[in-house]
């Protein structure tokens, strides 16, 4: 059996675009330090004797998108203000993990949620927000 070589990379040249191709797209690539699509899996007791992996089966999967970003309440085009003023709206998002190395990108629709306001007195005020994904993220070739 041949080994599969991994090709990990950092998010240093990632892109995050809200509303791609709509004429109203907003790019927040330089505004985020953390982008993670997280599956939340609900398990249920398996029915039958031929279940795989024990006595449980996947009942449902919900996806969430978590973003971490520096809070900016002074710029009208900031991610902080964008999320606060568009909370509850559904928007398409495009995430490219690396412009140079990624062969795939993620396209999805999320329900925008406002992020936190304030926090610790430190050198940089950041915020983390988690937003529900509508359906599943679509991983597509670039």
């Amino acid at each position: 059996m041949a080994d599969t070589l991994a090709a990990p990379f950092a998010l240093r040249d990632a892109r995050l675009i809200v509303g791609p191709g709509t004429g109203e797209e907003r790019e927040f690539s330089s505004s985020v330090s953390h982008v993670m699509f997280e599956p939340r899996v609900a398990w249920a007791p398996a029915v039958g004797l031929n279940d795989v992996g024990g006595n449980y089966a996947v009942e449902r999967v919900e996806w969430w998108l978590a973003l971490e970003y520096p809070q900016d309440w002074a710029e009208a085009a900031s991610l902080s203000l964008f999320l606060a003023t568009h909370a509850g709206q559904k928007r398409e998002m495009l995430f490219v993990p690396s412009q140079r190395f990624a062969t795939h990108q993620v396209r999805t629709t999320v329900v925008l949620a406002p992020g936190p306001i304030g926090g610790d007195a430190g050198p940089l005020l950041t915020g983390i927000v988690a937003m529900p994904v509508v359906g599943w993220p679509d991983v597509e070739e670039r």
Side-chain angles (χ1 to χ4, degrees):
M1 176 184 330
D3 284 342
T4 301
L5 298 177
F9 46 82
L11 292 180
R12 300 199 199 302
D13 67 337
R15 293 186 73 196
L16 181 69
I17 302 168
V18 177
T22 63
E24 297 179 15
E25 70 182 35
R26 303 276 302 268
E27 184 157 356
F28 293 110
S29 302
S30 62
S31 300
V32 293
S33 60
H34 174 99
V35 178
M36 183 172 68
F37 288 90
E38 177 190 357
R40 296 182 183 172
V41 180
W43 297 94
V47 178
L49 300 174
N50 296 325
D51 60 333
V52 176
N55 296 320
Y56 291 90
V58 173
E59 184 174 51
R60 74 178 180 282
V61 178
E62 295 176 349
W63 284 88
W64 288 75
L65 171 61
L67 302 176
E68 183 172 3
Y69 54 93
Q71 291 185 44
D72 179 357
W73 299 100
E75 285 294 322
S78 74
L79 182 56
S80 300
L81 286 172
F82 180 81
L83 293 174
T85 59
H86 294 89
Q89 297 178 6
K90 290 181 184 177
R91 294 290 174 97
E92 186 175 324
M93 284 196 178
L94 177 66
F95 173 60
V96 181
S98 171
Q99 292 183 78
R100 293 182 300 160
F101 301 114
T103 58
H104 289 73
Q105 61 190 17
V106 180
R107 188 177 303 271
T108 193
T109 300
V110 300
V111 179
L112 298 178
I117 300 172
D120 292 336
L124 183 63
L125 191 58
T126 62
I128 299 173
V129 65
M131 299 176 282
V133 171
V134 178
W136 290 55
D138 183 22
V139 178
E140 58 190 30
E141 284 191 51
R142 292 184 56 211

